[in-house]
Amino acid sequence: MDYKPPMNKSNPLWNKGYQVDDLMLRLTVGTDYLVDCQIARFDCIGSAAHAKMLESIGILKKDELVKLLAGLKEIAQTAAEGNFQIPVELEDAHTVIESKLAEKYGETGKRIHAGRSRNDQILLATRLYTRHLVMSWTKHLLDLSTLFFSRAQHFGHIAMPGYTHLQRAMPSSVAMWMHAFAEGTLDLAREGLGLILILNRNPLGAGAGFGSSLPLDREMVARLLGFDAAQRSVIDVQNSRGRNELRALQFAARIASLYEKLGWDFVLYCSEEFGFIKLPKELTTGSSIMPQKRNPDLAELLRGKASRVRSKATELEWVIAKLPSNYHRDLQYSKEPLVAGAQELADIFAMTELLVKGFTLNQERLQAAMTSELYATYEAFRLVQSGMPFRDAYQQVAQKVEAKKIDKDALESDFDFIKQTADQEIIQGIEELNSLVVNLIKWHEKISLVEQEVFHSA
């Protein structure tokens, strides 16, 4: 992200009446004025819950709460529409939001920060944003798993070689190939649902990390925001800044790694040497010098995107790994990797969907690749079933392979058994997929209701 030259003025929240150095301001603001646009809506949601709690303990009056909720709802809507902007001199979303409230409602707007520090506020906004991301990623995973299962059933068991060491190994099928990614995606979706539970605790109320002498009702804020409970230990709340974001980014990196493997498969199987699958022209690029080229750039960039996501996780891990307890300014750098990683992962989901929906098969090349030696292990297993020790069967079949005497047609029924097992597993996978979809829908309904109701004063 590029830096924007700072304006020749400054009025940060911490300003005590003196002019700060412009270069110092630029260096300490960093990219927050860009990054925070992504979390501004969640800051408004968290601030609305905080305001309701302040009214319940007598810090705010009812009419003040009504004004603040209306203002926060308006700002949240602006942010949701992508129109929220942060002047460099105001540093971050939190300052802009409080400044807007103070400008519109005067003293009432200045009251909303009671009982919280900016770090406290950032923790909550980031926690809400991270929960939102993980829920969104899990939905994408379930959608892609549905797509993989659909393609598996569409193509069925059109035979294709299975490879180890990139050498032909045993018979496989297009359905089995697609099913593998369906199951890998389901595995990640289960992880996503588990991560939501880990994230689902309210950090607000820790103040600067040592609690507050105000009678804050942290459990009330937790209920208003759909959290399961308040996060215990105010020092641990501060220590957790970056920790949960890292969990999310490591989850994102595992997602990226799965589809990186898929991208590699596409590049390989699209090559002239394999020629098993074809991509439509609209999903390929050309060469500036070679007229015949149709390049699978999308699949190659899918591989590259995975590296970029992993780099964001590594960056964040190094930011937080070297710090002692409590807050340090280094933690400012914990937001950008998460936001940037989320943007990369959004591209990965889109790329994967395009590729999986778009490819077709070259059945002639697939059939030609199903050579007799692929069935050698089946031959050995038949000898084992007749009573021969496996090692002896292995040696005998190896000689038949050398002599090119493996009868592929006679062994096709053994492959049929494998395909029947795979079909049963696909049905079981779809059943689990449907169950996970129901589970995620419950989460979405719960959180959507929170975001609808938190701005209402009644």
Side-chain angles (χ1 to χ4, degrees):
M1 296 182 179
D2 295 331
Y3 288 119
K4 177 180 176 182
M7 298 176 66
N8 191 29
K9 60 181 180 177
S10 60
N11 188 29
L13 283 176
W14 47 266
N15 188 283
K16 299 177 180 66
Y18 55 85
Q19 181 70 33
V20 300
D21 182 85
D22 283 334
L23 177 59
M24 190 279 293
L25 178 66
R26 178 177 71 80
L27 293 173
T28 53
V29 169
T31 59
D32 273 9
Y33 72 97
L34 298 172
V35 172
D36 277 15
C37 292
Q38 301 298 315
I39 66 172
R41 178 167 72 92
F42 301 95
D43 190 288
C44 291
I45 292 169
S47 293
H50 181 66
K52 284 187 170 183
M53 183 273 294
L54 290 179
E55 190 270 340
S56 76
I57 63 172
I59 301 296
L60 290 175
K61 297 176 182 177
K62 183 67 175 180
D63 63 319
E64 292 176 322
L65 174 63
V66 171
K67 291 177 182 177
L68 290 172
L69 292 178
L72 288 166
K73 182 178 181 179
E74 181 180 343
I75 298 169
Q77 182 63 37
T78 299
E81 293 169 353
N83 296 321
F84 185 88
Q85 294 183 336
I86 303 172
V88 176
E89 69 274 8
L90 292 184
E91 295 191 292
D92 54 34
H94 325 291
T95 306
V96 172
I97 291 168
E98 185 172 331
S99 297
K100 286 180 178 293
L101 293 174
E103 181 181 349
K104 190 167 187 177
Y105 302 118
E107 292 296 320
T108 297
K110 297 177 183 179
R111 296 183 189 279
I112 195 168
H113 201 60
R116 65 180 183 180
S117 73
R118 185 163 58 163
N119 306 324
D120 200 23
Q121 184 177 356
I122 293 168
L123 265 160
L124 177 59
T126 308
R127 185 72 55 85
L128 292 169
Y129 172 64
T130 307
R131 182 177 69 179
H132 165 79
L133 286 179
V134 174
M135 288 178 61
S136 175
W137 296 344
T138 304
K139 182 182 184 303
H140 280 298
L141 288 167
L142 293 173
D143 288 343
L144 281 176
S145 189
T146 301
L147 178 58
F148 283 121
F149 277 122
S150 174
R151 295 296 267 169
Q153 292 180 317
H154 171 76
F155 288 120
H157 290 293
I158 295 173
M160 70 184 299
Y163 292 86
T164 65
H165 307 275
L166 285 181
Q167 306 297 312
R168 291 178 188 170
M170 292 182 69
S172 183
S173 71
V174 179
M176 291 168 67
W177 176 47
M178 287 286 98
H179 180 211
F181 286 100
E183 290 291 347
T185 302
L186 273 186
D187 190 28
L188 289 163
R190 287 193 295 270
E191 183 179 347
L193 289 167
L195 182 52
I196 294 169
L197 288 173
I198 294 173
L199 294 170
N200 210 42
R201 292 187 178 274
N202 170 39
L204 191 69
F210 310 103
S212 173
S213 57
L214 292 174
L216 305 179
D217 189 341
R218 300 184 65 212
E219 294 295 341
M220 176 184 176
V221 174
R223 289 192 303 273
L224 289 170
L225 295 175
F227 289 120
D228 295 323
Q231 184 178 344
R232 295 189 298 270
S233 173
V234 290
I235 292 179
D236 181 62
V237 168
Q238 278 298 334
N239 289 350
S240 72
R241 184 167 174 190
R243 187 170 73 205
N244 287 305
E245 295 91 319
L246 179 59
R247 282 189 174 111
L249 270 178
Q250 289 171 334
F251 174 48
R254 285 188 285 278
I255 296 171
S257 293
L258 176 64
Y259 301 134
E260 176 185 43
K261 190 181 296 291
L262 178 73
W264 235 125
D265 284 357
F266 269 90
V267 173
L268 203 62
Y269 294 158
C270 281
S271 67
E272 291 294 332
E273 285 69 21
F274 281 78
F276 294 165
I277 66 175
K278 301 176 183 178
L279 289 176
K281 291 180 180 180
E282 58 268 24
L283 294 185
T284 61
T285 65
S287 164
S288 65
I289 188 172
M290 295 170 283
Q292 82 281 10
K293 294 297 293 296
R294 283 180 55 192
N295 301 319
D297 285 17
L298 196 65
E300 292 173 323
L301 291 175
L302 177 57
R303 292 184 313 197
K305 285 281 185 182
S307 299
R308 291 165 71 101
V309 175
R310 280 192 290 269
S311 74
K312 298 306 175 188
T314 301
E315 177 185 346
L316 178 54
E317 186 171 22
W318 275 100
V319 167
I320 66 175
K322 60 184 176 58
L323 298 177
S325 291
N326 306 312
Y327 175 76
H328 308 275
R329 190 61 187 256
D330 314 46
L331 289 168
Q332 175 178 348
Y333 295 140
S334 65
K335 290 183 290 185
E336 184 176 343
L338 179 63
V339 171
Q343 292 170 344
E344 299 287 0
L345 191 58
D347 289 343
I348 285 174
F349 283 130
M351 289 172 161
T352 302
E353 182 178 355
L354 281 172
L355 289 168
V356 177
K357 281 184 175 179
F359 82 92
T360 56
L361 301 178
N362 185 336
Q363 295 195 45
E364 290 184 5
R365 292 291 291 272
L366 284 166
Q367 186 59 43
M370 295 301 296
T371 49
S372 60
E373 70 270 13
L374 286 164
Y375 295 79
T377 305
Y378 294 166
E379 178 83 356
F381 286 162
R382 283 195 175 186
L383 293 174
V384 167
Q385 287 179 317
S386 69
M388 183 181 294
F390 175 76
R391 195 51 57 201
D392 294 340
Y394 178 95
Q395 294 296 336
Q396 182 174 317
V397 172
Q399 294 172 11
K400 293 182 73 173
V401 171
E402 286 291 325
K404 300 187 183 302
K405 291 184 177 180
I406 300 293
D407 188 350
K408 168 184 169 181
D409 294 335
L411 294 165
E412 196 66 46
S413 61
D414 296 59
F415 186 31
D416 289 339
F417 175 77
I418 300 292
K419 289 186 285 189
Q420 289 170 9
T421 301
D423 284 336
Q424 293 171 3
E425 291 172 344
I426 287 172
I427 291 171
Q428 292 169 358
I430 292 172
E431 290 174 351
E432 182 181 3
L433 168 65
N434 293 334
S435 175
L436 292 176
V437 168
V438 170
N439 196 340
L440 184 63
I441 287 173
K442 291 178 180 177
W443 272 110
H444 271 286
E445 289 175 345
K446 176 181 179 180
I447 302 306
S448 295
L449 190 62
V450 164
E451 295 185 5
Q452 290 171 17
E453 293 185 349
V454 74
F455 295 112
H456 294 301
S457 57

